[in-house]
Amino acid sequence: MLEAFNWKFSSIPCINAALNFAGYNPASPKRKYLQMLKIQTLNQISDKGLVRFPKQDYQVGQDIKNADAILVRSQKLSMENLNSNLKAVARAGAGVNNIPIDSYTKEGIVVFNTPGANANAVKELVLCGLLLSSRGILHGINWVNSLSPDMDGAEMSKLIESQKKNFKGMELKGKTLGIVGLGAIGAMVADVAIQMGMKVLGYDPAISVNAAWRLANQIEKQENLTSLISRSDFVTLHLPVLESTRNLIDRKVINYFKSGAVLLNFSRDAIVDEGALLEALNSGRLSSYVTDFPSQELLKSKKAILLPHIGASTDEAEENCAIMAVDQLRNFLENGTIENSVNFPSLALEKTDSFRIAIINQNVPRMLGQILSILADKDINVLDMLNKSRNDVAYNLIDIETKPSEDTLDEIRAIEDVIKVWLI
């Protein structure tokens, strides 16, 4: 059943809210670190994010060894990037296809992303894609650039007037836009489409409460994907790549498109079955495909408008992603807080001046009892604690009255199914 697939969207009302989640303020007073924290940066990270690491508390750079955390954009990571001290990876962007999530989860590595931080940049490029696919802009530009600069001015004007009919398009006003995925980007695209006079349909079987509150009431909710597609002149995709969304737009789904409809994909190439797509372009079922993910096969189609993966390539988006990623790493390393992780549960425990232990373990019974028993045997008083799980892993924050010895931490590490233990 097409309606049976499921995915999750992480979205935020606005960038400012994201940068201050869980009451985090980078300038707020905190307990002095037990040791200098090390951050390894891969790729070029905006300085507006990096300056948020206090120099007296953090070592930051590409050549850092035994890092506590990695800050990355597009570089592909592997198990070779791990070290025994590594606790987290923050992706300055939304997609995490370059990170081996399952393998890192087994090693107790918390992986963060920055959903919504580049939403405006992508929204503007989607708008550009709508305009490029509805008007003869690209063909017109290419034709004009083919004219000789030595041509007589009057002759050029006459020629342009006679040929402009070849580049006639259609207006977006009054057309129907179907949006698949109503997270931060999808909601912004919906708003701008409504402002342009388009009718907007939306489909998202896993929309969050916060995302639902953010949506304009003019959006018509669709109960399934095929209903949205069959009624839309343009369809734009805004969802992550999961097993349930891989090749979501396949031959069966494409048959529901209106003849001559336009498909836009600024999410990920794997969501669309390329073979089925090319068949639809060749047959006229789709008049155009606009995507940020070119391929050799798509280059052969004159109906494909291909962009070089520039959806988040603006100064503002890179700065927002870097700031959000840095703040999330700091909040995790300094307080143990997890927010916007793709593999661990969200968790925040109010910080006090007490000592805090962070523990990651397999999500199996009687783990807490064993941990607390060790602390009790050492006469260590527990002041507060919080435990949450996500799939096969659990994450614990335990506030204690006195500083535990390394031997005590080693006893906890020795418990079967404990993955990682450290003192914050």
Side-chain angles (χ1 to χ4, degrees), residues 5-284:
F5 67 85
N6 183 37
W7 65 83
K8 295 181 180 179
F9 293 87
S10 296
S11 55
I12 51 177
C14 64
I15 299 302
N16 287 337
L19 301 183
N20 293 283
F21 61 82
Y24 179 56
N25 179 356
S28 64
K30 55 188 179 296
R31 182 167 62 86
K32 186 177 181 180
Y33 294 131
L34 300 170
Q35 60 183 9
M36 183 74 74
L37 292 166
K38 299 178 181 180
I39 309 295
Q40 183 183 24
T41 57
L42 303 178
N43 307 122
Q44 189 68 33
I45 306 296
S46 170
D47 287 338
K48 289 197 174 181
L50 296 181
V51 296
R52 298 170 80 86
F53 287 121
K55 291 183 178 180
Q56 70 273 17
D57 300 318
Y58 285 85
Q59 292 179 358
V60 181
Q62 293 184 351
D63 299 324
I64 295 294
K65 305 297 182 184
N66 297 316
D68 293 276
I70 293 174
L71 186 54
V72 65
R73 288 180 62 198
S74 59
Q75 182 166 322
K76 190 173 181 62
L77 301 185
S78 69
M79 300 303 286
E80 294 181 359
N81 295 101
L82 301 186
N83 70 79
S84 60
N85 195 46
L86 190 69
K87 304 171 184 68
V89 172
R91 160 80 163 93
V96 290
N97 294 33
N98 57 321
I99 303 171
I101 302 297
D102 291 342
S103 298
Y104 277 25
T105 302
K106 292 176 183 177
E107 298 297 323
I109 308 300
V110 181
V111 179
F112 297 91
N113 67 344
T114 57
N118 58 15
N120 187 72
V122 179
K123 174 208 74 177
E124 291 184 1
L125 199 61
V126 173
L127 174 59
C128 176
L130 286 169
L131 294 169
L132 291 177
S133 62
S134 62
R135 305 288 295 272
I137 297 170
L138 290 176
H139 298 305
I141 290 173
N142 291 335
W143 179 78
V144 169
N145 286 335
S146 71
L147 301 178
S148 172
D150 299 324
M151 184 183 296
D152 176 75
E155 181 184 355
M156 180 181 290
S157 295
K158 183 177 179 180
L159 180 62
I160 288 174
E161 286 302 311
S162 68
Q163 295 299 312
K164 67 180 183 181
K165 62 180 178 293
N166 296 323
F167 312 108
K168 183 174 68 173
M170 60 179 176
E171 296 183 10
L172 296 175
K173 183 178 180 179
K175 303 301 186 297
T176 299
L177 173 65
I179 302 176
V180 183
L182 296 168
I185 297 172
M188 287 187 175
V189 171
D191 288 342
V192 73
I194 291 169
Q195 292 170 13
M196 295 181 67
M198 299 187 78
K199 181 178 180 180
V200 178
L201 310 180
Y203 174 61
D204 186 341
I207 190 169
S208 68
V209 174
N210 287 338
W213 276 107
R214 187 177 58 247
L215 296 177
N217 56 17
Q218 296 98 319
I219 300 172
E220 294 186 24
K221 179 185 175 183
Q222 302 299 293
E223 295 301 323
N224 54 65
L225 180 63
T226 55
S227 174
L228 178 141
I229 286 176
S230 64
R231 298 178 58 195
S232 300
D233 302 301
F234 299 82
V235 174
T236 181
L237 307 175
H238 301 288
L239 54 151
V241 177
L242 302 172
E243 286 307 311
S244 55
T245 63
R246 192 175 298 276
N247 288 331
L248 174 66
I249 308 301
D250 58 12
R251 284 181 176 82
K252 185 176 181 180
V253 171
I254 284 176
N255 286 332
Y256 286 93
F257 276 90
K258 288 183 177 181
S259 179
V262 174
L263 176 63
L264 301 97
N265 180 10
F266 289 87
S267 292
R268 282 292 181 268
D269 53 353
I271 295 169
V272 178
D273 181 331
E274 190 172 276
L277 169 73
L278 288 169
E279 290 176 6
L281 291 173
N282 292 335
S283 69

Side-chain angles (χ1 to χ4, degrees), residues 296-339:
Q296 289 180 317
E297 291 302 314
L298 289 174
L299 284 169
K300 300 175 184 178
S301 175
K302 294 182 179 180
K303 294 182 178 180
I305 299 175
L306 308 176
L307 303 172
H309 201 183
I310 55 173
S313 295
T314 67
D315 290 338
E316 295 85 353
E318 291 178 4
E319 291 167 3
N320 287 337
C321 287
I323 291 170
M324 188 172 175
V326 168
D327 284 358
Q328 288 175 167
L329 278 182
R330 285 195 59 191
N331 207 4
F332 175 66
L333 294 172
E334 298 169 22
N335 302 316
T337 299
I338 294 180
E339 183 73 10

